[in-house]
Amino acid sequence: MRYDCLGFVEAGLSSDPQLAESKFGIEEKKEKISSLKAEAILPTFNVSMMVGPAPGLKESVDNWGDTVDVYDFSRMGPFWGVEAKFVQPLNLGQYRSGKKALEADLQQKTYAIEKQVHKKDVELQSYYYNYLLALEMQRLAGEAQKQVDKAYDQMEEALDDDDPNVSQMDFLKLKSQMHTVKEGVSDANLGMKRVQLAIRFSLGLKDDDVFVAYDTCLTPRTERLPSLDEVRDMTLRYNPELRQLSAGLSARRLQMDLAEAKLAPEFFVMGEFQYVKSWAGNRSVLQKNAFAEDAVNKLSGLIGVGLRYRLNFWKNWAEYREARTEYRGLRLKENYAADGLIAQAEEQYYQVVAAKEKMEALKESLRASEAILKGAAMQYDLDKSKTGDLVSAYTQNVTLQKDYYFAVCKYNVEFAELISRIGMSLKDFRTALGQL
């Protein structure tokens, strides 16, 4: 599985289970908006139908001598009935406020997930550069082991040949430093195993998958470091926390409007229709008129404009005050949020600059150390008694190489943190600078 830094980050983001779970929250918000839209037209519209047996009717004389219809269960017959009822609210203002509040809430959730993505972006970049660091440490430790083993064998041969320029003390000094090299090899292998575990989890790799980076060595990032003014400008323009706060203000304002709208009466149109028809015979003939009404057959309906007013005024007023308080609190937060986020980005910018300066200083020292090592190697070729100087120069060079690679990794990760503090992903940052 070969990836460069951007490809690794994109693959890790698409494979992360927590981000996938968070994105279901966006779908949930969208479903709420869809539900509200579905309830805008005829939220109550019920139609019921029934079929069954019904008794017939026959004429009878009551106690007062009047002729009335009574049920005749000896003449049963089928009947069919239908009943429909609908209610259409006319409170368009509440619907609009509620819909806009849900849309603003969706924006808040989207920006919150975007912020979460940026944090994961930094984590994945740190995995990538730590993998390259582990490669360098393995290479460095392996080379050190090879050189020390070579010097060990040469000194051992020189002692066997009774070379006067090599003493037993020199041999013991070299042998006493072998554990340091072995510890370096062990630490390098451990670092590689740990970062490989993190990478396998992030990418969801199978047991037979192997991660390999396109980069073969750890080098400073190629992205241009923006100026401080550019950092401030991009933070104001792209930071998702500022956009999340703006969406939160909009949502709270709309909730306040919705709570205020609920203080007013609600108008609606309501209609109802009922029809029952029985084919059971009456006492003399089968009723053929489909709309004739009697004790069984019915035809009724109504339609009109209604008014509903909630008498628990104090409850709606409390909801309005709660929304107004939250809105005012967010307005106060808005006054200092931008300055605070810019300050965080500026602080991270200074850390990146300091990490870059340290990396460049170590690079200069490493060049001087390499020159010293070459000189010590030439002196050792001329005089085998200079073993101590050669070992000292080589140890200093290896230590500086290790410090330099750690400084490069720190600079790269601090740069990734700066991109996150600005409020951008690695891909968006490279696109903004025209470096994709």
Side-chain angles (χ1 to χ4, degrees), residues 129-386:
Y129 290 118
N130 275 282
Y131 169 81
L132 295 178
L133 175 63
L135 279 181
E136 296 291 354
M137 292 301 101
Q138 280 187 329
R139 189 180 300 121
L140 191 61
E143 184 64 26
Q145 180 76 60
K146 186 187 301 182
Q147 293 296 330
V148 171
D149 288 343
K150 180 180 178 181
Y152 183 85
D153 293 338
Q154 289 178 348
M155 290 188 69
E156 193 171 31
E157 290 177 3
L159 286 174
D160 292 340
D161 296 339
D162 295 326
D163 190 334
N165 293 323
V166 180
S167 66
Q168 185 69 28
M169 185 60 67
D170 294 333
F171 180 74
L172 292 174
K173 286 181 179 179
L174 179 61
K175 193 173 183 179
S176 67
Q177 295 180 0
M178 291 288 288
H179 76 282
T180 304
V181 177
K182 291 180 179 180
E183 286 179 1
V185 173
S186 179
D187 291 342
N189 291 332
L190 176 61
M192 176 57 74
K193 289 177 181 178
R194 293 178 64 182
V195 74
Q196 280 279 19
L197 283 174
I199 288 173
R200 295 183 70 84
F201 177 78
S202 298
L203 296 181
L205 298 181
K206 300 177 181 179
D207 293 338
D208 54 346
D209 292 333
V210 179
F211 170 80
V212 178
Y214 273 119
D215 297 308
T216 57
C217 57
L218 178 60
T219 57
R221 304 178 68 120
T222 58
E223 294 94 348
R224 177 178 66 84
L225 179 63
S227 65
L228 186 57
D229 290 337
E230 286 177 319
V231 168
R232 292 168 177 165
D233 180 64
M234 286 190 293
T235 302
L236 282 175
R237 213 181 329 164
Y238 297 110
N239 196 287
E241 291 187 68
L242 288 177
R243 289 181 287 171
Q244 182 182 3
L245 179 59
S246 177
L249 277 169
S250 178
R252 294 299 182 274
R253 184 176 62 250
L254 291 168
Q255 286 178 356
M256 187 170 60
D257 295 341
L258 182 61
E260 185 178 10
K262 287 183 178 180
L263 296 175
E266 297 179 0
F267 294 90
F268 59 91
V269 175
M270 186 179 75
E272 189 172 342
F273 171 76
Q274 186 179 40
Y275 175 69
V276 178
K277 171 60 179 174
S278 170
W279 285 269
N282 62 10
R283 285 38 51 200
S284 56
V285 296
L286 183 68
Q287 180 58 259
K288 296 182 179 180
N289 185 358
F291 300 102
E293 295 188 54
D294 52 33
V296 177
N297 299 334
K298 292 183 180 179
L299 176 64
S300 64
L302 59 89
I303 187 171
V305 178
L307 172 66
R308 179 172 62 184
Y309 190 79
R310 293 182 176 89
L311 295 179
N312 54 344
F313 175 81
W314 55 90
K315 178 183 178 182
N316 296 329
W317 177 248
E319 291 178 356
Y320 170 76
R321 291 180 58 186
E322 180 181 357
R324 185 180 61 182
T325 302
E326 291 180 358
Y327 176 74
R328 289 176 176 176
L330 286 177
R331 285 295 301 271
L332 293 176
K333 187 176 182 179
E334 185 184 30
N335 295 332
Y336 66 83
D339 293 338
L341 291 173
I342 290 175
Q344 289 180 359
E346 188 173 343
E347 178 189 6
Q348 186 61 33
Y349 175 81
Y350 294 140
Q351 291 188 28
V352 173
V353 171
K356 185 177 182 180
E357 292 174 349
K358 181 180 179 180
M359 177 183 65
E360 292 175 346
L362 281 168
K363 188 175 182 179
E364 293 295 327
S365 299
L366 184 58
R367 290 174 180 170
S369 174
E370 290 173 351
I372 294 173
L373 179 59
K374 289 180 180 178
M378 294 175 62
Q379 291 181 359
Y380 176 75
D381 291 337
L382 297 174
D383 185 0
K384 297 299 183 182
S385 64
K386 299 294 184 179

Side-chain angles (χ1 to χ4, degrees), residues 77-90:
F79 87 94
W80 175 78
V82 61
E83 184 179 47
K85 181 178 181 180
F86 76 89
V87 178
Q88 175 59 55
L90 301 177

Side-chain angles (χ1 to χ4, degrees), residues 64-94:
W64 291 272
D66 297 327
T67 301
V68 295
D69 290 336
V70 297
Y71 292 118
D72 183 4
F73 289 95
S74 65
R75 297 183 179 182
M76 300 292 289
F79 87 94
W80 175 78
V82 61
E83 184 179 47
K85 181 178 181 180
F86 76 89
V87 178
Q88 175 59 55
L90 301 177
N91 49 332
L92 186 59
Q94 288 189 27

Side-chain angles (χ1 to χ4, degrees), residues 101-115:
L102 288 177
E103 290 172 345
D105 190 35
L106 173 61
Q107 288 183 330
Q108 277 188 289
K109 185 66 175 179
T110 302
Y111 295 139
I113 293 178
E114 184 179 347
K115 179 183 175 183

Side-chain angles (χ1 to χ4, degrees), residues 8 11-12 15-16 120 123-124 127 197-204:
F8 173 69
S15 303
D16 188 82
K120 189 66 180 180
E123 181 182 334
L124 291 169
Y127 289 161
L197 283 174
I199 288 173
R200 295 183 70 84
F201 177 78
S202 298
L203 296 181

